[in-house]
Amino acid sequence: IPDGVEVVAATWQAYLADNEEPERFSAVFFDDFPIVATPSRGSRWRTFLEAVGPFLRAGSLVVGYCCDAERLRAALPDGYWLESVAPFELTPPADCPYVSEAAGDRCFV
């Protein structure tokens, strides 16, 4: 792990609840799978961004993945935007509960 990189081995909900240092991060990779039951306002991304906002420095990057870039774009809170999206190949296992190639799902980074 490079210097200055912190890997958090916890749910974001637990991590943020135990930390109060504002403007701590300059970049975050958001991995919301497996899905944790958290009340959301229609989007796990929106819920996460609203919670992590106080911990981000000005100009921070938040990186992650989604299956519907347009739906994500519509759900972003004020002050956030999609800088770029790129589809990537994904072959989920047949029993995957959240991505279905048969349903036409594609993942984007």
Side-chain angles (χ1 to χ4, degrees), residues 82-95:
L82 289 180
E83 184 72 27
S84 65
V85 295
F88 66 93
E89 293 295 322
L90 174 72
T91 305
D95 62 347

Side-chain angles (χ1 to χ4, degrees), residues 41-97:
R41 295 179 41 205
S43 164
R44 290 184 309 275
W45 269 92
R46 181 181 190 90
T47 300
F48 172 73
L49 292 171
E50 288 173 342
V52 79
F55 296 87
L56 300 175
R57 296 180 192 144
S60 292
L61 297 175
V62 179
V63 179
Y65 52 90
C66 68
C67 291
D68 188 333
E70 290 310 310
R71 197 168 103 199
L72 172 58
R73 187 183 317 275
L76 293 175
D78 290 341
Y80 292 92
W81 63 91
L82 289 180
E83 184 72 27
S84 65
V85 295
F88 66 93
E89 293 295 322
L90 174 72
T91 305
D95 62 347
C96 178

Side-chain angles (χ1 to χ4, degrees), residues 5-21 24-25 28 48 51-52 55:
V5 173
E6 177 182 357
V7 176
V8 176
T11 65
W12 64 264
Q13 297 91 335
Y15 184 81
L16 293 181
D18 290 341
N19 290 276
E20 297 181 8
E21 185 180 336
R24 177 178 185 151
F25 300 112
V28 174
F48 172 73
V52 79
F55 296 87

